[in-house]
Amino acid sequence: MSDIAKQNLILIGNGMAGMRTIEELLKLEPEKYNITVFGDEPYGNYNRIMLSPVLANEKTLEEVMLNDDNWYQENNIRFEKGKKVTDINRVAKKVIAEDGTELPYDKLLIATGSTSFMLPLPGADKQGVIGFRDVKDVDTMVNAALNYKKAVVIGGGLLGLEAANGLMKQGMDVTVVHIGDSLMDRQLDKDAATMLKTSLEEKGMKFLMSHASEEILGDERVTGLRFNDGSEVDADLLVMAVGIKPNFELAKSTGLHCERGIVVSDTMQTFDPNIYAIGECVQHRGQVYGLVAPLFEQAKVAANHLAELGYGRYEGTVTSTMLKVTGISLFSAGDFIGDEDTEELLFRDVASGTYKKIILRDNIIIGACLYGDTMDGTWYFQMMKDGTNISDFRDSILFGQAHLGDAGHGDETRVAAMADNAEICGCNGICKSEIVNAISEKKLFTLDDVRAHTKASASCGSCTGLVESLLAHTLGGDYSQAPSKKSLCACTELTHEEVRTGIRELHLKDHEDVRKSLNWKTDDGCAVCRQATNYYLLCENPDYNDPESRFINERAHGNIQKDGTYSVVPRMFGGMCTPKDLHAIADVAEKFKVPEMKVTGGQRIDMFGIKKEDLPLVWKDLSEAGFVSGHAYGKAMRTCKTCIGDSWCRMGTQDSTSLGIKLEELTWGSWMPHKYKLAVSGCPRNCAEATIKDFGVVCVDSGYEIHVGGNGGIKVRVTDFLIKLDTEEEVLEYCAAFSQYYREDAHYLERTAPWIERVGLDKIKAAVLDDEANRKALYERFIISQKPSQIDPWKKHADGVDENQFKSIKITAA
Amino acid sequence: MSNWLEIAALEEIPVLGSRVVETDTVNIAVFRGKENAVFAIKDQCPHKQGPLSQGIMHGDSVTCPLHNWKISLVSGEALGADEGCTNVYETKVEDGKVFLKSPTI
Ligand code: SRM
Ligand SMILES: Cc1cc2nc3c(=O)[nH]c(=O)nc-3n(C[C@H](O)[C@H](O)[C@H](O)COP(=O)(O)OP(=O)(O)OC[C@H]3O[C@@H](n4cnc5c(N)ncnc54)[C@H](O)[C@@H]3O)c2cc1C
Ligand code: SF4
Ligand code: FES
C-alpha cells in the first residue's frame, strides 16, 4: 500500500481535530502522503460531542461513529488502532509506540486532545471514580447504572450537567456537587444560572452548591464523598467533570515548546517545522480551546499547509456554547459579565422562563447569554463576530431579529406564529407552508438546500433571516446553529476573503490559475464564483477581463429584459443635458424603432426593447453624438444624481451640479463589488437624496459634508456621516479613496451599506481619514484602475470588438 | 443527402461561450467547452424561455441569465432541484469546423 515516492505523514491521536485534518487534506491532496494514524482508543474516529446523547440513550454508539475501520481502508490509511505512541525521535524522524512499532515520518501531526482533570483527592483511585471523556467512561457509567443507584457528579459546568442528565436518564439518583454558588459560571451569569437550576431540579436533579470536596470514601469501591465542612453524601459512582487537561506530555518529552499546551503558530506549526499540532492539546496566541468549532478551523489551516498550499492562517476563534440537555435551551457567547466600560441590555421574564442578556461595548456586542428562548443566539453571535454596530436597532434588539420591521433584515413576525400562507419570499412568491413542507418532506438541513428546492431567499436575499428561522424552527435541535465560515460557493471551501488573499499573495493571474492554485472542486467553477473571481482578479489587475465570466448584462453592456432584448442608458453626467443631446437620443430612438423610453430614477433616459444585434449600431450613433455607456447594467459606478444647486436655486449654497459632474467624470466606468451610486445636493434640503447613496455630498455654506454607506433599495439605510471638507478638490480625493477602499475590501455583491455594517465605520475612518498616506495611496490606485475602465465599452464594441457576440448565425431552409 | 450543417469555424465560438444559430423555426445556442466539446441546445430555458445562449457556461451546463436555473447541455434537463427540459441537438467538429445535425427546419 505504501508508496516510496510519497512522503510519510503520521497522525498521533485519532480524535476529532486530527481526523478532521486528514479529511480536509484528502480533499485537497489525496495522493500526497502515505498516511498512518495512531489512536490509543480501540475504535475508529467517533463524534466525542455526541457522548452526552449516547449516555442519555438518545443516540447509539454506531450513530456517532464518524470514520469506521472500512473508511481507513478505503482511503489507504494505515490505522494503528489501540496503539499508544510513547516516544517521538525528532532527530531520526520516527515515532515509537507502546508495543514497539516504529515508523518514520516526513511530517508529523500531533492531536492528542486532552484528558479529564481529576481532583487530587484522597481516595480518587477507588473503583467507580471516573471522568467523562471517552466511550470507556460512558460504558462504565451505563454499567454502574445497572448495578447501583446513587451517582454524584462533581462540577456544575457544561460537561457535568450533561453527565448528570445522562445518568438520570439511565435511571440513577443524581446529585451535582458544585464549588461555586452558581451553575456553569464560565458560561452563564447568576440569573440565568438560577433559572437553569430550577428547571433541572424540576427534572429531578439534586444540587449541593458551594460544597468543596475533601475526601472520597469507601474501601475498594467508592461509597461516598466528604466535604470540608464535615458533611457527606452517598455515592456508588463518582464522576469528576471539573475541567480538562491538555494532553501534551508526549510533545513535551520530545523537546517541543509547551506552556499550557503545545505552542503553535498561525500555521499550526510547533517549534519543529516538520511537526504540526492541533486540537485541545495546543496553545495558539495564548488561547487553549475546548470546543470543536475552533479545532475544525485549525484543521483546515493545518491541512492547507500539509498540502503545501501555504496560504491558510488561523487567527483564533470566538466561541459560543449550548447545553445539550433535551428540553433546555441555553446559549452563551463571549464576555457576558462586562465591566465598567460596557453596557448591559437585559430582558427577564421568570414566568415564561425567558432570560436574555447582551453586553455591549460602544454599541458592539461583546457577549450574550440567553436562556429559554435562544432563537436569536445565532443572530447575536454573527453580529458579535462581525463587530456590527447595533445603535440603529438597539432599542428592539432584545426582541430579536423578527422584531426589526420590514425595513430591517426582513423578519416581520416570529416565524412560529406566522400563518401558513404568509408570504416569506416576496421575489419568488413562496409562502411559509411551502418552505416548511419542503424542509420536512425533502429532508433539507441547510439554507442552500432550501434555496435550491424552493428558491426562497435565493434572489434578493432579504428574507434569508426568516428562512433560517424557519429551518431552525422546523428542524429543532438538528439545525446546526453555530454559523461557520461561509464559503464563496459550492465550488470551493474558501471564503471571499480567503480567495482574495489567495489571489493577492500568490499573484494569481487568471481564472484557471485561481481554480488550480486554490483547489477548486469544479473545473470551470460556476456562475457564482466565476463572477466574483473575475471581479477580484480585475481589482488586482485593472486590465484583466474574462467576458465569459461576466453576467450577460456586463458582457452585452445592457440590461437583459425578460424577452431577451436589451435596454440602453447613455450616461448624462450629473443629470445635465442639452437640446442637442436630447435630439441625438430621439434620433436613435426613431431610427431603431425603440418601443419604449423612460426617464429613470437615476436622472437619465432609458431606451427599452433593443435587439442584441442592433446594440453596436445604436452605440455607434450615440457614441458619435458624444455619449458613453451609463453602466446601468453593471456592478459598477452607476450615476451621480445632482440637484440644481446655487446656479439657480434660491437655497443653494454651492455649485452642486458641477461638483456632481466632476465626481461622475472621476468615477464613471469603475467596476465595483456591487452597484455604486453617488449624489450631490446643494443644501441640507437634500433634493438629490444624497443620504441614501453609496457616496453622498451635502453642500453647506461652509463646505461639503461627506456621507457614505447609504442605500435606497431593498433595505433602506441612511448614510453615515464621514467628514466635512472645505474644497471640491478634497471631495474628489476622498471620493476616490473611499471608493477604492470599498473596491479592495468588500465582498463581491456586497453594497457599501452591508459592507459598512459588517466592518464598522471606524475601520473605514482609520483607512480613509486618519491615515493621510494611505488615503493618497488609495487615491492613486483608484486613478490607475480608471485608465482602462474609462475606455468607453460602447465605442469599443461599435468599432467591432467581439462583434461575433452580437451576430447570430442564420440558417434558412433553402 | 447528409443532414449535417456546417455552422461556423470553431474559433468563431468563444471558449466557455456561445453563438446563436437562427433557423426559420427555432433558435439554437451552440456552446464551446474548455476541451473544445461543442454542445447545441434550444435557446429557450424550460423555466420562462430565457435565452440560454446569454448565460454563463461551466462544465457541461449553463446557468440561465434570467433566474439562474442550471441546465444540462448534454440532456437539456434542468439540474439541481428544478424540473424541466429543453431540446438538445447533435454536433460534431471536423477540420476545425462545427457541424450541427440538421434539426427539422
Ligand atoms: C431603470 C431603473 C428604474 C427607473 O425606471 O427609474 C431601474 C431599473 C432596474 N433596477 Fe433599479 N433602477 C433604477 C434606479 C434605482 C434606484 C434609484 C436611484 O438610483 O436613485 C434604486 C434605489 C437606490 C439604491 O440603489 O440604493 C434602485 C434599486 C435597485 C435594486 C436594489 C438595490 C439594493 O441595493 O437594494 C435592484 C436589485 C439589485 O441591484 O440587485 C435594482 C435592479 C434593477 C434592474 C436592473 C432589475 C434587474 O436586475 O434586471 C432594473 C433594470 C431595468 C432595465 O432593464 O433597464 N434596482 N434602482 C432606474 C435606473 C437608474 C439609472 O439611470 O441607472
Ligand atoms: C462528553 C463531551 C461532550 C462535549 N460536548 C461538546 C459540545 O457540545 N460542543 C463542543 O464544541 N465540544 C464539546 N466537547 C468537546 C469536544 O469533544 C473536544 O473539544 C474535541 O473532541 C477535541 O478534539 P481533539 O481532537 O483535540 O481531542 P480528542 O477528540 O480527545 O482526540 C484525541 C485522541 O488522541 C488520542 N491520544 C492521546 N494521546 C495519544 C497517544 N500518545 N497515542 C495515540 N493516541 C493518543 C486520544 O485517545 C483521543 O482519541 C465535548 C466533550 C465531551 C467529552
Ligand atoms: S425597475 Fe426596479 S422596482 Fe421596477 S420592477 Fe424592475 S427591479 Fe423592480
Ligand atoms: S427563464 Fe431561465 S431561469 Fe427563468
Coordinates of all heavy atoms in Angstrom, one line a residue, chain A residues 398-422:
Chain A
L398 N -33.4 43.1 21.8 CA -33.7 42.0 22.6 C -34.9 41.3 22.2 O -35.1 40.1 22.6 CB -33.9 42.5 24.1 CG -32.6 42.8 24.8 CD1 -32.9 43.4 26.2 CD2 -31.7 41.6 25.0
F399 N -35.8 41.9 21.4 CA -37.0 41.2 21.0 C -36.6 40.4 19.8 O -37.5 39.7 19.2 CB -38.1 42.2 20.6 CG -38.5 43.1 21.8 CD1 -38.1 44.4 21.9 CD2 -39.1 42.5 22.9 CE1 -38.4 45.2 23.0 CE2 -39.4 43.2 24.0 CZ -39.1 44.6 24.1
G400 N -35.4 40.4 19.3 CA -35.0 39.5 18.3 C -35.0 40.1 16.9 O -35.6 41.1 16.6
Q401 N -34.5 39.3 16.0 CA -34.4 39.6 14.6 C -35.8 39.8 14.0 O -36.0 40.6 13.2 CB -33.6 38.5 13.8 CG -33.2 38.9 12.5 CD -32.3 37.8 11.9 OE1 -32.2 36.7 12.4 NE2 -31.6 38.2 10.8
A402 N -36.7 39.0 14.5 CA -38.1 39.0 14.0 C -38.7 40.4 14.2 O -39.7 40.7 13.5 CB -38.9 37.9 14.7
H403 N -38.2 41.1 15.1 CA -38.8 42.3 15.5 C -38.4 43.6 14.7 O -39.0 44.6 14.8 CB -38.6 42.6 17.0 CG -39.6 43.5 17.6 ND1 -40.8 43.1 18.0 CD2 -39.6 44.9 17.8 CE1 -41.5 44.1 18.4 NE2 -40.8 45.2 18.4
L404 N -37.4 43.4 13.9 CA -36.9 44.5 13.1 C -37.9 44.7 12.0 O -37.9 44.0 11.0 CB -35.6 44.2 12.5 CG -34.4 44.2 13.4 CD1 -33.1 44.0 12.6 CD2 -34.2 45.5 14.2
G405 N -38.7 45.7 12.0 CA -39.8 45.9 11.0 C -39.4 45.5 9.6 O -38.3 44.9 9.4
D406 N -40.1 45.8 8.6 CA -39.7 45.2 7.3 C -38.6 46.0 6.6 O -38.1 45.5 5.6 CB -40.9 44.9 6.3 CG -42.0 45.9 6.5 OD1 -41.7 47.1 6.7 OD2 -43.1 45.5 6.5
A407 N -38.3 47.1 7.1 CA -37.1 47.7 6.6 C -35.8 47.1 7.2 O -34.7 47.4 6.8 CB -37.1 49.2 6.9
G408 N -36.0 46.2 8.2 CA -34.9 45.6 8.8 C -34.4 44.4 8.0 O -34.5 44.3 6.8
H409 N -33.9 43.4 8.7 CA -33.3 42.3 8.0 C -34.4 41.4 7.5 O -34.1 40.3 7.0 CB -32.4 41.5 8.9 CG -31.1 42.3 9.2 ND1 -29.9 42.2 8.6 CD2 -31.0 43.4 10.0 CE1 -29.1 43.0 9.1 NE2 -29.7 43.8 9.9
G410 N -35.6 41.8 7.6 CA -36.7 41.1 6.9 C -37.6 40.3 7.8 O -38.7 40.0 7.4
D411 N -37.2 39.9 9.0 CA -38.1 39.1 9.8 C -39.3 39.9 10.3 O -39.1 40.8 11.1 CB -37.4 38.5 11.0 CG -36.7 37.3 10.7 OD1 -36.5 37.0 9.5 OD2 -36.2 36.6 11.6
E412 N -40.5 39.7 9.7 CA -41.6 40.6 10.2 C -42.2 40.1 11.5 O -42.4 40.9 12.4 CB -42.7 40.7 9.1 CG -42.3 41.6 7.9 CD -41.8 40.7 6.8 OE1 -41.9 39.5 6.8 OE2 -41.2 41.3 5.9
T413 N -42.4 38.9 11.6 CA -43.1 38.4 12.8 C -42.4 37.1 13.2 O -41.7 36.5 12.4 CB -44.6 38.1 12.6 OG1 -44.7 37.7 11.3 CG2 -45.4 39.3 13.0
R414 N -42.5 36.7 14.4 CA -42.0 35.4 14.8 C -42.4 34.3 13.8 O -43.6 34.2 13.6 CB -42.4 35.1 16.2 CG -42.2 36.2 17.2 CD -41.4 35.7 18.3 NE -40.0 36.0 18.0 CZ -39.0 35.6 18.8 NH1 -39.2 34.9 19.8 NH2 -37.8 36.0 18.5
V415 N -41.5 33.6 13.3 CA -41.9 32.6 12.3 C -43.0 31.6 12.8 O -43.9 31.2 12.1 CB -40.7 31.8 11.7 CG1 -39.9 32.7 10.9 CG2 -39.9 31.2 12.8
A416 N -42.8 31.3 14.1 CA -43.7 30.2 14.6 C -45.1 30.7 14.6 O -46.1 29.9 14.3 CB -43.3 29.9 16.0
A417 N -45.3 32.0 14.8 CA -46.7 32.5 14.9 C -47.2 32.9 13.6 O -48.4 33.2 13.5 CB -46.7 33.7 15.8
M418 N -46.5 32.7 12.5 CA -46.9 33.2 11.2 C -48.0 32.2 10.6 O -47.9 31.0 10.9 CB -45.8 33.3 10.2 CG -45.0 34.5 10.5 SD -43.5 34.4 9.5 CE -43.9 35.5 8.1
A419 N -48.9 32.8 9.9 CA -49.9 31.9 9.2 C -49.2 31.1 8.1 O -48.2 31.5 7.6 CB -51.0 32.8 8.6
D420 N -49.7 29.9 7.8 CA -49.1 29.0 6.8 C -49.0 29.7 5.5 O -48.1 29.4 4.7 CB -50.0 27.7 6.7 CG -49.6 26.7 7.8 OD1 -48.6 27.0 8.5 OD2 -50.3 25.7 7.9
N421 N -50.0 30.5 5.1 CA -50.0 31.1 3.8 C -49.2 32.5 3.8 O -49.3 33.2 2.8 CB -51.4 31.2 3.2 CG -52.2 32.1 4.1 OD1 -51.7 32.6 5.1 ND2 -53.5 32.4 3.7
A422 N -48.6 32.8 4.9 CA -47.9 34.1 4.9 C -46.7 34.0 3.9 O -46.0 33.0 3.8 CB -47.3 34.3 6.3

